[in-house]
Amino acid sequence: MSETEVRASIAAERTELAEVFAGLDAAAWEAPTLCAGWRPREVLAHMTMAYRLSLPRFALEMVRARGNFNRMADRRARADAAALTPEELVASLRDHAGHPWKPPGSGYEATLAHEVIHGMDITVALDLPRRVPVDRVAVVLADTKPEQVRYFGTDLTGVELRAEDLEWGLAGDDPRSVVTGAAQDLLLVLCGRRLPPGRLAGEQAGRYEAR
């Protein structure tokens, strides 16, 4: 995809997710997600954090977190989820569909990954029927680097991941078993998420499922 096409995909992903999230009931907003310790409201607060945080405020928050981005992001997600209603969080995502935010030092492919993965943290955990358009997943998979997989602690030893709906695969060291599934679910595996049972197939599928 060209940069223009990736940015259009980002805007579409945000708009479509906002529509999905607008339909969640009160119980869903309190349910767990694939992000440990976060409900949908914390995930969405994190997804929209960049729209509320100026650069100076971001720097201050990082100082308060002693330079630990994960600590800062968790603190802000919890604070914003407590301060804002679900309707306000959904509106923030919808109203900023075309926002030019990018993760520091990254391209728009990383922005698309951010929206796609965190969106699935909610939709997959809630067993919602939404499927991410496979062309968007393909962009994210193509931009996923080995160091990112290591960062999430994903163990691919002895396993080859193979997508059922996309010509994509990735093998770990000494692959002896194939794990198959939708490309979007394999993307979640790469990001260290534990999936609900039944979304993957293969002898080693249980390695990547929630218990």
Side-chain angles (χ1 to χ4, degrees):
M1 283 188 184
S2 67
E3 180 177 301
T4 299
E5 290 171 324
V6 174
R7 293 195 63 180
S9 293
I10 293 166
E13 185 70 10
R14 289 170 178 163
T15 300
E16 292 164 20
L17 285 172
E19 183 176 351
V20 171
F21 298 155
L24 297 183
D25 60 22
W29 284 107
E30 301 300 324
T33 69
L34 300 186
C35 285
W38 282 5
R39 302 163 297 174
R41 60 179 70 227
E42 279 84 23
V43 177
L44 190 48
H46 174 71
M47 291 175 70
T48 58
M49 177 181 70
Y51 315 147
R52 292 183 295 276
L53 228 55
S54 66
L55 187 57
R57 181 65 185 276
F58 175 83
L60 177 61
E61 293 287 346
M62 285 295 290
V63 170
R64 288 175 174 169
R66 299 191 295 279
N68 187 309
F69 175 79
N70 289 336
R71 184 184 297 124
M72 184 278 290
D74 182 66
R75 181 182 297 165
R76 283 276 20 115
R78 295 179 187 277
D80 290 348
L84 300 170
T85 67
E87 292 77 16
E88 289 172 325
L89 291 168
V90 170
S92 181
L93 185 65
R94 181 190 300 114
D95 295 346
H96 293 88
H99 195 282
W101 172 79
K102 292 186 290 186
S106 302
Y108 283 111
E109 291 82 1
T111 308
L112 181 61
H114 186 265
E115 310 307 307
V116 165
I117 294 164
H118 284 309
M120 288 194 293
D121 282 333
I122 297 174
T123 60
V124 171
L126 296 181
D127 196 25
L128 300 178
R130 181 178 190 263
R131 294 289 291 266
V132 181
V134 72
D135 62 323
R136 297 176 200 168
V137 180
V139 170
V140 178
L141 285 171
D143 194 55
T144 301
K145 300 172 178 60
E147 56 267 28
Q148 293 170 302
V149 179
R150 289 194 295 271
Y151 171 82
F152 287 111
T154 304
D155 182 12
L156 297 178
T157 305
V159 171
E160 177 187 352
L161 302 180
R162 190 180 299 166
E164 299 171 335
D165 53 348
L166 186 68
E167 289 190 14
W168 180 88
L170 181 65
D173 295 334
D174 190 23
R176 300 179 301 277
S177 179
V178 176
V179 173
T180 61
Q184 67 172 44
D185 290 333
L186 299 182
L187 173 59
L188 288 173
V189 168
L190 294 183
C191 296
R193 271 51 169 187
R194 294 287 179 173
L195 301 184
R199 298 182 73 97
L200 303 173
E203 288 182 0
Q204 296 296 317
R207 288 171 59 174
Y208 308 111
E209 294 178 343
R211 297 186 178 142

